[in-house]
Amino acid sequence: METVAIRALQTGHVGLNVTDVDRSLPFYERVFGLEVQAEGRDDGRRWAFLGRDGRLVLTLWQQSDTGFPTRSAGLHHLSFQVESIEEVKAAERVLRELGAAFAHDGVVPHGEGASSGGIFFADPDGIRLEIYAPTGADTAPAPSGAAPTCGFF
């Protein structure tokens, strides 16, 4: 039985489902001093990436009709950054042994042309999770094209 030997683990960002990005953005900007790093305003694909000091901290996804769970306001997914794509692949092997449900087949990039990426899966309760590395995922096609892979899985 393989054990994942991850050298460094930290939270990458927290993704939240919201009912109205235009209402949520000013709240997170004011309360936490976060700044918009990127934003999508296409119909049906509203999203915003918020960060601080050049670091992505929070993502907002307008895809909720009411309060939590999945299609409602609350946690979208929890992301963990590791140092290398090899660590992501090691985690994938262990998750497959455990029978975890994956959103995509193996390691995928965060979007077209991106080198960063990882694996997207659910815990036993269905909470969406991500383990990613900053580089090394560019050998696979982006499953969502130009849209962020971690946004609509």
Side-chain angles (χ1 to χ4, degrees):
M1 174 191 280
E2 181 177 356
T3 302
V4 178
I6 297 173
R7 293 183 301 271
L9 181 69
Q10 65 183 10
T11 301
H13 63 271
V14 174
L16 299 175
N17 280 341
V18 299
T19 58
D20 184 347
V21 167
D22 291 331
R23 184 183 64 198
S24 297
L25 269 175
F27 172 82
Y28 286 101
E29 288 172 319
R30 185 167 183 197
V31 172
F32 298 102
L34 298 172
E35 298 173 7
V36 175
Q37 295 180 336
E39 189 172 8
R41 294 191 164 273
D42 295 336
D43 287 341
R45 296 273 185 176
R46 295 289 319 279
W47 54 272
F49 286 2
L50 302 170
R52 195 171 165 168
D53 301 324
R55 181 178 174 266
L56 179 62
V57 174
L58 181 71
T59 60
L60 302 176
W61 307 98
Q62 185 172 306
Q63 57 187 26
S64 297
D65 300 325
T66 60
F68 201 75
T70 304
R71 298 288 307 164
S72 304
L75 182 68
H76 178 276
H77 72 286
L78 184 56
S79 172
F80 295 94
Q81 180 179 338
V82 296
E83 290 183 350
S84 71
I85 207 70
E86 289 75 24
E87 289 174 304
V88 174
K89 290 177 181 179
E92 177 188 6
R93 288 191 298 271
V94 170
L95 286 162
R96 290 201 185 278
E97 285 178 15
L98 296 173
F102 286 81
H104 308 291
D105 187 23
V107 175
V108 295
H110 282 127
E112 282 182 31
S115 180
S116 66
I119 53 176
F120 300 85
F121 57 96
D123 79 354
D125 291 310
I127 295 173
R128 297 181 293 191
L129 302 169
E130 168 187 2
I131 297 175
Y132 77 96
T135 60
D138 50 354
T139 59
S144 301
T149 301
C150 61
F152 298 96
F153 70 93

mmCIF file with all atom_site columns, all heavy atoms in Angstrom, residues 41-46:
data_model
loop_
_atom_site.group_PDB
_atom_site.id
_atom_site.type_symbol
_atom_site.label_atom_id
_atom_site.label_alt_id
_atom_site.label_comp_id
_atom_site.label_asym_id
_atom_site.label_entity_id
_atom_site.label_seq_id
_atom_site.pdbx_PDB_ins_code
_atom_site.Cartn_x
_atom_site.Cartn_y
_atom_site.Cartn_z
_atom_site.occupancy
_atom_site.B_iso_or_equiv
_atom_site.pdbx_formal_charge
_atom_site.auth_seq_id
_atom_site.auth_comp_id
_atom_site.auth_asym_id
_atom_site.auth_atom_id
_atom_site.pdbx_PDB_model_num
ATOM 1  N N   . ARG A 1 41 ? -17.281 37.607 -17.165 1.00 0.00 ? 41 ARG A N   1
ATOM 2  C CA  . ARG A 1 41 ? -18.621 38.193 -17.153 1.00 0.00 ? 41 ARG A CA  1
ATOM 3  C C   . ARG A 1 41 ? -19.542 37.596 -18.206 1.00 0.00 ? 41 ARG A C   1
ATOM 4  O O   . ARG A 1 41 ? -20.594 38.134 -18.481 1.00 0.00 ? 41 ARG A O   1
ATOM 5  C CB  . ARG A 1 41 ? -18.524 39.706 -17.338 1.00 0.00 ? 41 ARG A CB  1
ATOM 6  C CG  . ARG A 1 41 ? -17.836 40.395 -16.169 1.00 0.00 ? 41 ARG A CG  1
ATOM 7  C CD  . ARG A 1 41 ? -17.980 41.919 -16.250 1.00 0.00 ? 41 ARG A CD  1
ATOM 8  N NE  . ARG A 1 41 ? -17.677 42.531 -14.989 1.00 0.00 ? 41 ARG A NE  1
ATOM 9  C CZ  . ARG A 1 41 ? -18.555 42.717 -14.002 1.00 0.00 ? 41 ARG A CZ  1
ATOM 10 N NH1 . ARG A 1 41 ? -19.791 42.342 -14.152 1.00 0.00 ? 41 ARG A NH1 1
ATOM 11 N NH2 . ARG A 1 41 ? -18.193 43.299 -12.886 1.00 0.00 ? 41 ARG A NH2 1
ATOM 12 N N   . ASP A 1 42 ? -19.150 36.469 -18.828 1.00 0.00 ? 42 ASP A N   1
ATOM 13 C CA  . ASP A 1 42 ? -20.002 35.831 -19.826 1.00 0.00 ? 42 ASP A CA  1
ATOM 14 C C   . ASP A 1 42 ? -21.276 35.317 -19.161 1.00 0.00 ? 42 ASP A C   1
ATOM 15 O O   . ASP A 1 42 ? -21.242 34.824 -18.034 1.00 0.00 ? 42 ASP A O   1
ATOM 16 C CB  . ASP A 1 42 ? -19.282 34.652 -20.495 1.00 0.00 ? 42 ASP A CB  1
ATOM 17 C CG  . ASP A 1 42 ? -18.071 35.079 -21.297 1.00 0.00 ? 42 ASP A CG  1
ATOM 18 O OD1 . ASP A 1 42 ? -18.021 36.252 -21.720 1.00 0.00 ? 42 ASP A OD1 1
ATOM 19 O OD2 . ASP A 1 42 ? -17.171 34.232 -21.494 1.00 0.00 ? 42 ASP A OD2 1
ATOM 20 N N   . ASP A 1 43 ? -22.390 35.406 -19.886 1.00 0.00 ? 43 ASP A N   1
ATOM 21 C CA  . ASP A 1 43 ? -23.650 34.877 -19.365 1.00 0.00 ? 43 ASP A CA  1
ATOM 22 C C   . ASP A 1 43 ? -23.486 33.409 -19.007 1.00 0.00 ? 43 ASP A C   1
ATOM 23 O O   . ASP A 1 43 ? -22.962 32.625 -19.786 1.00 0.00 ? 43 ASP A O   1
ATOM 24 C CB  . ASP A 1 43 ? -24.762 35.024 -20.409 1.00 0.00 ? 43 ASP A CB  1
ATOM 25 C CG  . ASP A 1 43 ? -25.219 36.463 -20.573 1.00 0.00 ? 43 ASP A CG  1
ATOM 26 O OD1 . ASP A 1 43 ? -24.957 37.274 -19.664 1.00 0.00 ? 43 ASP A OD1 1
ATOM 27 O OD2 . ASP A 1 43 ? -25.842 36.762 -21.604 1.00 0.00 ? 43 ASP A OD2 1
ATOM 28 N N   . GLY A 1 44 ? -23.935 33.042 -17.831 1.00 0.00 ? 44 GLY A N   1
ATOM 29 C CA  . GLY A 1 44 ? -23.843 31.668 -17.376 1.00 0.00 ? 44 GLY A CA  1
ATOM 30 C C   . GLY A 1 44 ? -22.465 31.252 -16.885 1.00 0.00 ? 44 GLY A C   1
ATOM 31 O O   . GLY A 1 44 ? -22.294 30.131 -16.433 1.00 0.00 ? 44 GLY A O   1
ATOM 32 N N   . ARG A 1 45 ? -21.480 32.129 -16.973 1.00 0.00 ? 45 ARG A N   1
ATOM 33 C CA  . ARG A 1 45 ? -20.104 31.813 -16.537 1.00 0.00 ? 45 ARG A CA  1
ATOM 34 C C   . ARG A 1 45 ? -19.504 33.011 -15.808 1.00 0.00 ? 45 ARG A C   1
ATOM 35 O O   . ARG A 1 45 ? -18.422 33.451 -16.114 1.00 0.00 ? 45 ARG A O   1
ATOM 36 C CB  . ARG A 1 45 ? -19.221 31.461 -17.749 1.00 0.00 ? 45 ARG A CB  1
ATOM 37 C CG  . ARG A 1 45 ? -19.639 30.221 -18.479 1.00 0.00 ? 45 ARG A CG  1
ATOM 38 C CD  . ARG A 1 45 ? -19.009 29.018 -17.840 1.00 0.00 ? 45 ARG A CD  1
ATOM 39 N NE  . ARG A 1 45 ? -19.320 27.821 -18.628 1.00 0.00 ? 45 ARG A NE  1
ATOM 40 C CZ  . ARG A 1 45 ? -18.854 26.648 -18.362 1.00 0.00 ? 45 ARG A CZ  1
ATOM 41 N NH1 . ARG A 1 45 ? -18.032 26.471 -17.371 1.00 0.00 ? 45 ARG A NH1 1
ATOM 42 N NH2 . ARG A 1 45 ? -19.196 25.611 -19.095 1.00 0.00 ? 45 ARG A NH2 1
ATOM 43 N N   . ARG A 1 46 ? -20.211 33.521 -14.805 1.00 0.00 ? 46 ARG A N   1
ATOM 44 C CA  . ARG A 1 46 ? -19.706 34.645 -14.013 1.00 0.00 ? 46 ARG A CA  1
ATOM 45 C C   . ARG A 1 46 ? -18.769 34.106 -12.940 1.00 0.00 ? 46 ARG A C   1
ATOM 46 O O   . ARG A 1 46 ? -19.109 33.180 -12.218 1.00 0.00 ? 46 ARG A O   1
ATOM 47 C CB  . ARG A 1 46 ? -20.861 35.400 -13.345 1.00 0.00 ? 46 ARG A CB  1
ATOM 48 C CG  . ARG A 1 46 ? -21.824 36.098 -14.295 1.00 0.00 ? 46 ARG A CG  1
ATOM 49 C CD  . ARG A 1 46 ? -21.250 37.319 -14.974 1.00 0.00 ? 46 ARG A CD  1
ATOM 50 N NE  . ARG A 1 46 ? -20.446 38.155 -14.119 1.00 0.00 ? 46 ARG A NE  1
ATOM 51 C CZ  . ARG A 1 46 ? -20.920 39.068 -13.262 1.00 0.00 ? 46 ARG A CZ  1
ATOM 52 N NH1 . ARG A 1 46 ? -22.214 39.268 -13.140 1.00 0.00 ? 46 ARG A NH1 1
ATOM 53 N NH2 . ARG A 1 46 ? -20.099 39.795 -12.539 1.00 0.00 ? 46 ARG A NH2 1
#
